[in-house]
Amino acid sequence: MKEGKAFLKSRMKWVGLVGLVLSAFSLFVHFLLARFTEDGFSEYQSSVTVFSWRPIFETSDLSRTSPLYRRLWRPVGQLESLHPDANPRGYYAGPSAQTNGYIFVRIQGGFHEIRSSICDVVAVSRFLNATLVIPEIQQTTSKKGISSQFKSFAYLYNEDQFMAALAKDVNIVKTLPKSLKSARRNKEIPVFRVPHSASPYYYLHNVLPVLIKHSVVEIVVSDGGCLQAILPPHLEEYQRLRCRVAFHALRFREDVQELATKILHRLRAPGRPFIAFDPGMTRDALACHGCSELFQDVHTELIQHRRSWMRKRGIIKGQLSVNSAKQRLKGSCPLTPEEVGILLRAYGYSWDTIIYVSGGEVFGGQRTLIPLHGMFENVVDRTSLSTVWELSKIYGREVNLEENYPKAPPSAQVEMKLDAWKNSGPRPRPLPPPPAKPKTYNIEGWWGWVAESDNEPESTVVELRTNAHKLLWEAIDYIVSVEADVFIPGFDRDGKGHPNFASLVMGHRLYQSAASKTYRPDRKEVVRLLEEIRGHIYHANHTWLTTIRRHLRSSLIDGLIEESNKSKSSSFLSHPVPECSCLRLDSGETSSNSSSNTAHLQVQTALGVVHRCPVWMDGERSSSSKEKENEEDIDENDPSSSGLFFQHSGSQDVGGEDINLKEESQFEDQEEDGGD
């Protein structure tokens, strides 16, 4: 009996031991799965995660054939004959097997500056018959704390796609030969800090002789663009090369592209079109253009501090203190999100329209967007359309970093107390005073250093890593903005007075789908109109609404023509027409539609587009061509496009409104007769 009990106990011990071993093995397997199966887990995570955005729609979805829908969302008929054509025209030799040497490029700056600079250095490499080394992006080098699994260029763009797409244009290699690598480490190769918008002759007379002599040169680009925007006529093929780089070769790395595609699918899931809005309100832009008084808090001091810093370094000229009200009236300041919201509501976009806020972070924080959220229910950005897991996945595996913020120096009084305590006699000494709590300064949060120091603290590694992350955020926003049904910018200049993120988006949309709705409002005119009703801005009359609609409608064409004179001289990519476009005429167009043809011809003449598209592109009559013929006549001839300003459709009063609808329709009819 005793032997049976002992056997039973020993057996139970073995069973317990086996259970513990199996439990430990199960935990080990789970840890391995969590570490090495990120892809499968992310799919599971995205399938069960509840996103923060839940679309709210009250108005019924518009019929795609209704005049109101056509006014708000349909492509611009006068631009539908423009199509992308960046292929060489005429004889175009491939890259030479024997080159003059290697060009190594280091690029500094933000997203739009990096993109513009890459296009320029490719054109310069072909111009000098040089082999281009994959450029190094300073914001994404390893010392910025980013994941070690990415090289500098590959952190943002797809290297293999870049090299394959330009194989017939330029010789490109990933790294320098070993002999030249050591020379670069020893700083034995010549370095050129090229000026912004340098002419081709600068490279021909200054860089080329040194390149031939040393077989390698290093070019540092810091101002976003190292080749002038407008080239001589005999160098027009280099403009099309720029287009091939920007719109075909520069593809973001695969996981960034995939996340942007997911966000696009989630935006379009409700089955409605959406607007992409880029505020353009960055600290540098506000400081450069003297718009500090748009804010009435610490942000004003921060902008003034940055303006002072820019003046000391010669980035900008002029007085430190600038009248922001006058700058705003001149159209030199960004339109605020509230002002853009008023424009869109006045034009006829309902309160449940989907608006995607792009272009990185808005200076001033989310409170700057509160008025826009008040006017539109479905205001979203990348954070509300993706999970934390999805965003962190594109960063790669990064090491944990400790915050090493600069500590404030001890005050003189504290030092005196410490010295007195150390030099005191043998009597019982009191405990030393507690050390002062170090103050931390977070660049994206509390800006306490402004009140205590004239010098901005140096960026920590965490902040440098965040700046690299911002490039990925803007890459996602760039893809979404280019594909949006409608795009409207709040500002089109950066902190150096050059075209910014929004300008590149508008240029890409102009190249890829010229007819897509892209508003280019005249800020000076918009501010003037807003000042007219400043006292009753949310209760505008129908005459003012019609004026706003006329302005926004004309900005689709007139704003584009104005951009060809204003922006193209400083950034070719913001207006790649006519060099990278061609005309495709529908085979069904006849002389019966002479008024439409005349309007199209006027726009084409103003833009300078004369090149006909290849024959294979002709003869494809658009399915909406019949509607397009009469679009200009009936586009705004719909009473339902009016309604009360800033009022939900479900709360409109019926009595007395029919008269207003009829009156406004008459204004819109007059606009159509005398406008386009």
Side-chain angles (χ1 to χ4, degrees):
M1 188 69 178
K2 293 181 179 179
E3 293 179 356
K5 290 182 178 180
F7 176 76
L8 182 61
K9 288 183 179 180
S10 63
R11 188 175 182 181
M12 291 178 65
K13 288 180 180 179
W14 279 106
V15 170
L17 182 61
V18 170
L20 289 174
V21 171
L22 290 176
S23 298
F25 180 74
S26 177
L27 287 174
F28 178 71
V29 170
H30 277 78
F31 281 128
L32 287 179
L33 290 174
R35 181 177 179 84
F36 296 107
T37 60
E38 293 180 357
D39 294 336
F41 185 74
S42 65
E43 292 297 326
Y44 170 77
Q45 178 93 352
S46 62
S47 66
V48 300
T49 301
V50 178
F51 295 101
S52 59
W53 179 49
R54 283 294 175 269
I56 301 175
F57 301 116
E58 184 174 304
T59 58
S60 59
D61 196 7
L62 289 172
S63 170
R64 293 180 179 270
T65 59
S66 67
L68 177 57
Y69 183 92
R70 294 172 65 180
R71 175 162 65 85
L72 299 179
W73 303 107
R74 284 291 298 278
V76 183
Q78 294 176 338
L79 298 175
E80 286 194 338
S81 58
L82 293 184
H83 289 265
D85 183 18
N87 294 322
R89 300 170 188 174
Y91 175 73
Y92 185 80
S96 174
Q98 295 293 328
T99 63
N100 292 321
Y102 294 88
I103 291 181
F104 181 85
V105 184
R106 287 191 290 122
I107 300 175
Q108 303 169 353
F111 177 88
H112 66 282
E113 294 170 319
I114 292 169
R115 196 170 180 89
S116 299
S117 300
I118 292 173
C119 299
D120 287 351
V121 297
V122 171
V124 168
S125 298
R126 180 175 175 88
F127 183 68
L128 299 181
N129 186 27
T131 299
L132 175 66
V133 181
I134 291 286
E136 180 181 279
I137 301 173
Q138 293 296 286
Q139 288 278 59
T140 59
T141 53
S142 57
K143 63 182 179 182
K144 307 297 183 182
I146 66 170
S147 174
S148 59
Q149 69 187 91
F150 301 112
K151 291 184 179 179
S152 174
F153 186 88
Y155 186 76
L156 188 59
Y157 293 110
N158 187 325
E159 281 188 352
D160 295 331
Q161 163 67 21
F162 180 73
M163 297 176 68
L166 299 174
K168 296 182 179 179
D169 298 293
V170 183
N171 291 314
I172 303 178
V173 295
K174 290 189 176 182
T175 59
L176 286 169
K178 290 184 179 180
S179 58
L180 296 178
K181 275 185 180 179
S182 59
R184 181 175 178 269
R185 282 195 296 267
N186 297 329
K187 298 182 179 181
E188 296 174 354
I189 65 175
V191 179
F192 288 88
R193 293 187 175 272
V194 296
H196 177 73
S197 296
S199 71
Y201 305 104
Y202 168 86
Y203 294 96
L204 200 62
H205 299 300
N206 295 279
V207 179
L208 183 59
V210 179
L211 176 64
I212 295 175
K213 180 179 179 181
H214 295 271
S215 300
V216 60
V217 294
E218 181 175 332
I219 293 178
V220 180
V221 185
S222 58
D223 290 329
C226 58
L227 184 64
Q228 67 186 38
I230 300 178
L231 298 177
H234 69 280
L235 298 178
E236 189 173 298
E237 284 299 339
Y238 290 91
Q239 301 288 56
R240 282 184 280 278
L241 174 57
R242 278 170 159 172
C243 289
R244 292 195 292 277
V245 178
F247 309 130
H248 299 280
L250 281 180
R251 297 289 179 89
F252 302 109
R253 58 183 167 91
E254 188 174 350
D255 45 357
V256 176
Q257 198 85 26
E258 287 177 356
L259 180 55
T261 303
K262 286 181 181 178
I263 291 176
L264 271 172
H265 288 332
R266 292 162 188 169
L267 272 170
R268 298 196 185 279
R272 297 196 176 203
F274 72 93
I275 299 173
F277 163 52
D278 174 46
M281 295 181 66
T282 64
R283 183 184 174 201
D284 285 353
L286 293 167
C288 174
H289 299 280
C291 305
S292 62
E293 294 174 10
L294 293 179
F295 302 91
Q296 299 299 327
D297 52 16
V298 69
H299 294 89
T300 298
E301 298 181 38
L302 291 168
I303 295 170
Q304 285 296 91
H305 184 281
R306 176 64 72 175
R307 184 172 177 84
S308 174
W309 181 87
M310 288 178 166
R311 289 180 72 248
K312 290 177 181 178
R313 285 156 180 78
I315 298 175
I316 59 174
K317 298 179 181 179
Q319 299 297 322
L320 176 61
S321 299
V322 181
N323 190 324
S324 298
K326 290 184 178 180
Q327 291 292 96
R328 178 174 171 272
L329 290 174
K330 291 192 302 182
S332 299
C333 291
L335 295 175
T336 64
E338 179 183 15
E339 292 168 340
V340 172
I342 291 172
L343 291 181
L344 295 175
R345 290 302 306 271
Y347 195 67
Y349 292 99
S350 61
W351 64 273
D352 57 358
T353 300
I354 302 173
I355 297 182
Y356 182 88
V357 180
S358 68
E361 297 186 24
V362 181
F363 186 73
Q366 288 297 314
R367 70 180 184 86
T368 310
L369 298 172
I370 290 176
L372 186 65
H373 282 272
M375 285 181 267
F376 293 93
E377 192 68 39
N378 298 309
V379 178
V380 296
D381 59 15
R382 66 186 170 277
T383 60
S384 53
L385 291 165
S386 60
T387 64
V388 176
W389 173 272
E390 288 173 326
L391 286 173
S392 61
K393 182 185 173 184
I394 65 174
Y395 305 150
R397 295 175 186 165
E398 298 176 330
V399 298
N400 293 326
L401 298 174
E402 295 182 358
E403 297 281 5
N404 294 319
Y405 292 111
K407 296 182 180 180
S411 63
Q413 186 177 6
V414 172
E415 290 184 349
M416 290 177 61
K417 288 182 179 180
L418 290 173
D419 291 340
W421 175 73
K422 291 177 181 178
N423 298 328
S424 60
R427 63 184 183 278
R429 295 180 293 182
L431 293 175
K437 184 179 180 180
K439 296 181 180 179
T440 60
Y441 304 118
N442 186 353
I443 298 301
E444 297 299 331
W446 183 55
W447 302 78
W449 58 266
V450 176
E452 300 183 4
S453 173
D454 292 332
N455 299 319
E456 188 168 341
E458 294 184 3
S459 298
T460 64
V461 179
V462 173
E463 292 159 358
L464 293 175
R465 172 187 285 181
T466 303
N467 290 336
H469 291 175
K470 288 179 182 178
L471 296 179
L472 301 178
W473 302 344
E474 294 192 46
I476 294 171
D477 290 346
Y478 185 87
I479 295 172
V480 175
S481 298
V482 169
E483 298 295 333
D485 300 277
V486 173
F487 180 77
I488 183 168
F491 202 47
D492 58 357
R493 289 290 180 271
D494 66 3
K496 298 176 183 176
H498 306 150
N500 66 353
F501 175 91
S503 293
L504 289 191
V505 169
M506 291 189 287
H508 198 145
R509 290 170 64 88
L510 178 60
Y511 171 82
Q512 179 174 294
S513 54
S516 58
K517 261 190 167 56
T518 303
Y519 296 113
R520 295 174 173 86
D522 182 346
R523 292 186 298 276
K524 182 177 179 180
E525 179 66 13
V526 169
V527 170
R528 184 188 68 80
L529 292 172
L530 290 173
E531 288 299 318
E532 287 181 1
I533 60 165
R534 178 57 61 185
H536 49 91
I537 198 166
Y538 291 96
H539 303 282
N541 56 50
H542 62 273
T543 304
W544 185 86
L545 294 178
T546 305
T547 305
I548 283 291
R549 292 177 181 179
R550 181 182 297 114
H551 175 74
L552 272 186
R553 181 179 175 82
S554 65
S555 75
L556 296 170
I557 299 296
D558 296 342
L560 174 60
I561 296 173
E562 179 66 24
E563 284 295 308
S564 66
N565 301 322
K566 184 176 65 174
S567 291
K568 187 168 183 175
S569 59
S570 53
S571 172
F572 172 74
L573 295 182
S574 65
H575 193 88
V577 173
E579 292 87 349
C580 299
S581 295
C582 64
L583 294 176
R584 182 178 67 82
L585 302 178
D586 289 334
S587 59
E589 291 183 355
T590 62
S591 59
S592 62
N593 194 22
S594 58
S595 61
S596 177
N597 288 337
T598 301
H600 291 196
L601 183 61
Q602 290 175 350
V603 173
Q604 295 160 9
T605 303
L607 296 176
V609 183
V610 296
H611 180 71
R612 288 291 304 273
C613 292
V615 178
W616 62 268
M617 294 180 64
D618 287 339
E620 300 177 5
R621 184 170 173 80
S622 173
S623 61
S624 60
S625 59
K626 179 64 179 176
E627 299 174 356
K628 185 173 63 177
E629 293 175 0
N630 299 321
E631 180 179 351
E632 304 303 326
D633 297 327
I634 67 173
D635 195 33
E636 296 189 4
N637 192 24
D638 182 17
S640 64
S641 65
S642 304
L644 297 179
F645 194 36
F646 296 145
Q647 190 171 36
H648 291 189
S649 60
S651 60
Q652 292 179 359
D653 297 329
V654 178
E657 188 181 344
D658 292 339
I659 298 176
N660 290 335
L661 294 179
K662 293 179 180 178
E663 290 178 354
E664 190 170 346
S665 296
Q666 292 175 1
F667 274 100
E668 291 172 347
D669 291 340
Q670 294 173 7
E671 175 187 341
E672 291 301 317
D673 293 337
D676 299 326

